[in-house]
Amino acid sequence: MESYEPKKLLILRILEILTEYSDCDHKLRQGDIISLLKVLYGIECERKAVARNIEFLQQAGYDIVSDNSGSYLAEKKFEAGELRLLIDSVLSNRNVCKAHTKGLIEKLIHEGGKYFKSYAKHVVNLDDWQKDENRDYFYNIELLCEAIEKKVKVEFLINSYGADKKLHCRREDKLLANPYQLFLKSGRYYLACNYDKYDNLIYCRIDRISNISLTELPIKPIFDIKGYENGINLGRLNNTMPYLFEDEPTRIEFVAFNYAKGMIDNVIDWFGKDVQISELADGNYKFALTVSLRAMRFWILQFGKYVKVLSPQHFVDQIKDDIREMQKLYEE
């Protein structure tokens, strides 16, 4: 068979074969590599050429292990567990449309090689997953990254869903914003930004904005915004503002009962480990943490009969008012 590729590509093709077809459980002998070179690329070569090029790759820093039983690429870009995590993250992200989901997963599976494909058998039918069909999602992310890098203002439209389950503009004119940071929160991608007439941060979901355009106007420095003199602390955003309400974090104390021990898992899931936990004499647990009260107002009501706020008093009163208003709704 006549080679249809120049032999200068031999070292590259050997690396590709080791990447795709080898691992510690599937070593390739020189004869295996020669056969694959011929079948896949139409390249014919001798055993000495294979051995020589594998040695060149090892000298170049590739972690190729060779012994009497064969050779394999020991260190790949991703481990199987890492790829599964990335694949499942893409699959479960509703903002990534089906076409992009399929393409991304195919790329990730390819990175795992021939013997990884069995790990991805659960990716069978994307029709079973609810996905937004916003094909501009990644393009919007790229535009915002560019604006943040160039430190220029952006304009965009804000959208929300109507009863027809489609996105509609909240207002006809675009908003002018200072973009600072993109971050993931509770499975959603957000832009932390500021409108010039306000002195706080706004968090816009990337899947709810459209028609993004970059301007040539320089952004307002983040250091000029109260509370962000040292920049944006993403850890603080994650732990103190579960619902991304922008208010000053306040120390709060509450007690958990009925489901007391199980509540520890919930608190740490939502707020991280920067929380004080103490067991009470009756077996219940007391929690103390610093958090956004606006966000905590919804969080406390979410767990209803399992938690009771102890302080601050004005927050206790707010929760009581909310409960009374909820009761009225069910009495009517």
Side-chain angles (χ1 to χ4, degrees):
M1 180 178 179
E2 186 176 346
S3 173
Y4 55 79
E5 280 198 348
K7 286 197 174 181
K8 289 181 180 180
L9 295 178
L10 179 60
I11 189 170
L12 174 63
R13 297 312 186 191
I14 289 175
L15 177 60
E16 289 178 350
I17 287 171
L18 289 170
T19 301
E20 178 71 15
Y21 294 94
S22 77
D23 57 35
C24 61
D25 297 319
H26 303 88
K27 298 179 182 180
L28 295 177
R29 296 178 180 275
Q30 291 179 2
D32 299 326
I33 296 175
I34 290 171
S35 297
L36 287 168
L37 283 168
K38 186 174 181 179
V39 170
L40 297 174
Y41 307 110
I43 296 177
E44 296 186 356
C45 68
E46 299 178 350
R47 293 178 182 271
K48 288 183 179 179
V50 172
R52 184 170 60 252
N53 280 282
I54 287 177
E55 186 177 345
F56 288 156
L57 289 169
Q58 290 170 328
Q59 291 173 358
Y62 289 96
D63 188 9
I64 300 173
V65 178
S66 298
D67 55 30
N68 293 333
S69 60
S71 301
Y72 68 95
L73 185 63
E75 184 179 353
K76 298 190 177 183
K77 291 180 182 178
F78 299 98
E79 299 296 333
E82 295 170 337
L83 285 171
R84 270 303 302 268
L85 176 64
L86 293 172
I87 288 171
D88 289 342
S89 297
V90 173
L91 194 59
S92 62
N93 191 327
R94 290 186 178 183
N95 299 145
V96 183
C97 70
K98 290 179 181 179
H100 279 133
T101 295
K102 185 175 184 294
L104 277 172
I105 290 176
E106 287 175 351
K107 291 177 183 178
L108 291 168
I109 291 175
H110 178 73
E111 288 292 337
K114 175 182 177 182
Y115 301 105
F116 174 76
K117 290 180 174 63
S118 61
Y119 284 85
K121 288 180 180 178
H122 66 300
V123 186
V124 289
N125 189 359
L126 286 176
D127 291 336
D128 295 334
W129 294 82
Q130 288 191 19
K131 292 282 188 176
D132 294 338
E133 291 305 315
N134 181 3
R135 294 176 180 268
D136 293 331
Y137 183 65
F138 287 106
Y139 179 62
N140 289 342
I141 292 173
E142 291 176 9
L143 282 177
L144 293 171
C145 286
E146 182 181 352
I148 292 169
E149 178 66 22
K150 291 181 176 179
K151 297 183 178 181
V152 295
K153 288 180 169 65
V154 292
E155 293 180 315
F156 51 76
L157 295 174
I158 294 286
N159 305 281
S160 59
Y161 278 101
D164 58 359
K165 302 178 184 177
K166 295 180 180 180
L167 288 173
H168 301 275
C169 296
R170 292 185 185 177
R171 47 189 290 177
E172 293 183 0
D173 55 320
K174 286 185 173 183
L175 292 169
L176 183 66
N178 300 291
Y180 298 116
Q181 184 68 268
L182 296 175
F183 65 97
L184 193 67
K185 175 73 174 175
S186 301
R188 301 294 186 184
Y189 217 17
Y190 290 87
L191 168 69
C193 60
N194 162 264
Y195 303 145
D196 279 334
K197 62 181 180 179
Y198 298 114
D199 190 28
N200 64 336
L201 286 187
I202 303 295
Y203 307 105
C204 299
R205 277 176 50 172
I206 306 300
D207 58 311
R208 300 288 171 85
I209 61 179
S210 62
N211 296 71
I212 301 173
S213 57
L214 277 63
T215 73
E216 296 182 356
L217 302 171
I219 63 169
K220 178 198 300 184
I222 184 67
F223 314 110
D224 290 349
I225 299 176
K226 183 180 179 182
Y228 295 93
E229 293 80 3
N230 297 316
I232 298 176
N233 186 327
L234 292 181
R236 172 182 173 274
L237 283 179
N238 188 62
N239 294 330
T240 65
M241 291 189 286
Y243 299 114
L244 293 179
F245 290 116
E246 180 64 13
D247 59 336
E248 188 66 29
T250 304
R251 184 174 176 81
I252 178 177
E253 293 183 338
F254 65 92
V255 63
F257 46 92
N258 295 335
Y259 183 59
K261 198 164 187 179
M263 189 57 68
I264 296 175
D265 286 335
N266 283 301
V267 171
I268 291 177
D269 280 346
W270 281 88
F271 307 105
K273 295 182 179 180
D274 191 17
V275 54
Q276 294 178 0
I277 306 172
S278 55
E279 185 173 5
L280 303 178
D282 57 6
N284 294 323
Y285 286 84
K286 179 181 176 182
F287 299 87
L289 65 159
T290 301
V291 67
S292 157
L293 289 186
R294 290 181 64 194
M296 201 63 182
R297 178 181 174 187
F298 291 93
W299 190 90
I300 289 291
L301 294 173
Q302 176 182 209
F303 287 97
K305 63 182 181 180
Y306 298 112
V307 295
K308 178 182 179 181
V309 179
L310 301 177
S311 68
Q313 186 58 47
H314 66 86
F315 187 55
V316 173
D317 296 337
Q318 176 70 71
I319 297 298
K320 288 180 178 179
D321 289 340
D322 288 339
I323 293 172
R324 281 191 288 266
E325 291 300 317
M326 290 172 63
Q327 186 174 1
K328 288 180 183 178
L329 291 174
Y330 288 92
E331 290 175 345
E332 294 177 356

